[in-house]
Amino acid sequence: MSVLKTILIVLLVYYGLKLLIRFATPYILRYISKKAGQQFEQFFGNPARPDAHQQKEGQVTIDNIPSQNKSSGKKVGEYVDFEEVE
């Protein structure tokens, strides 16, 4: 009788959890998506510079000026001419 009672309790717990998960999943997913949306908005919603909204339309600003130390005369490697052998 105790074996039958144990099996019945295990099955009841299994199906109870299965039913609970089925009903709780939409709420859990909604909560996770809301939190992810808040983090996305916090990360991408705020401007990098607070004065970005104060500029006039069409005004251009340069934040980073690249260095002019580029030399095009660098020796890249050894060039070898190949001949076709028949």
Side-chain angles (χ1 to χ4, degrees):
M1 185 72 177
S2 66
V3 174
L4 185 61
K5 190 175 183 180
T6 305
I7 291 174
L8 184 62
I9 290 173
V10 168
L11 288 176
L12 185 64
V13 168
Y14 173 74
Y15 284 112
L17 286 176
K18 190 174 178 181
L19 187 65
L20 180 67
I21 289 172
R22 178 172 283 179
F23 286 122
T25 301
Y27 297 110
I28 292 170
L29 290 178
R30 191 176 305 139
Y31 175 77
I32 290 172
S33 65
K34 187 190 306 183
K35 282 295 186 182
Q38 287 174 354
Q39 288 180 352
F40 183 79
E41 185 177 329
Q42 181 182 8
F43 186 72
F44 288 110
N46 297 333
R49 298 174 315 187
D51 62 339
H53 294 293
Q54 297 174 354
Q55 295 178 354
K56 294 180 183 177
E57 184 177 344
Q59 184 180 3
V60 178
T61 58
I62 300 173
D63 293 334
N64 184 12
I65 301 173
S67 63
Q68 299 294 330
N69 296 339
K70 296 180 181 177
S71 61
S72 61
K74 289 183 179 178
K75 187 172 183 177
V76 176
E78 184 177 337
Y79 294 100
V80 180
D81 291 330
F82 290 101
E83 293 183 12
E84 231 178 274
V85 178
E86 293 183 15

